[in-house]
Every structure is written in C-alpha cells, then in structure tokens.
Amino acid sequence: QGEYTLGVVCGHVANYYCDCSGLVSYAWGLPAPAIVTQNMQTNYCAKLGNYNELMPGDAILKPDQHVEMFIRWQVKGSTFIEAGC
C-alpha cells in the first residue's frame, strides 16, 4: 500500500483515506480511517449474479485494485453512474 493522507483533503471527511476505499467506507458508515480495497471483498462484499442486481450504494469491486460505488443506471443494463476517486 502507498501512503495515505488523513484529514480534510480532496473534499473527504477528516480521518478517512483520500482514495476509493475511503469514499466507500465513509458512505457506508464504516469506521475511519477506512477498509482498504483488498479487505472489502472478504469482509463486506458478496458476488451478485449479474449487473442488473446492482442497487444504489452497492460497491463495484475490482479485487485488489479499485472500488467504486454504484449510484444509478444511465441506460439500464449497460451504462451506469458511479462515485469513485
């Protein structure tokens, strides 16, 4: 893992990592500083059958690399809006 900056940075709330896992952790109400992406899959995520099962607030995880939060479908089943860093 690289260095993380704690505090009010990048528009994030104090004490959360200023990265993708910090954003999802804050939105989910997880304890600060954050659950790092590598731990989200084993501790907080379940695999869906397909993308059509996504609900607002769900995490879209690329294991050991990146996590984004699903917001809504722009085009149902093909294009979605997400929050990410």
Side-chain angles (χ1 to χ4, degrees):
Q1 277 299 327
E3 290 292 315
Y4 289 101
T5 303
L6 297 177
V8 180
V9 183
C10 311
H12 291 250
V13 175
N15 299 322
Y16 281 87
Y17 294 140
C18 186
D19 66 358
C20 59
S21 60
L23 174 66
V24 172
S25 294
Y26 174 72
W28 284 358
L30 299 176
I35 303 302
V36 295
T37 302
Q38 288 81 353
N39 294 334
M40 283 194 167
Q41 181 177 7
T42 56
N43 298 325
Y44 294 94
C45 294
K47 189 173 183 175
L48 298 177
N50 62 62
Y51 281 109
N52 291 322
E53 296 177 38
L54 284 168
M55 301 290 290
D58 283 350
I60 301 168
L61 182 66
K62 187 171 186 179
D64 298 326
Q65 295 184 35
H66 189 58
V67 63
E68 299 174 325
M69 182 171 287
F70 176 80
I71 302 300
R72 65 178 173 85
W73 287 105
Q74 186 171 10
V75 176
K76 183 69 174 173
S78 67
T79 307
F80 57 85
I81 306 295
E82 84 258 11
C85 296

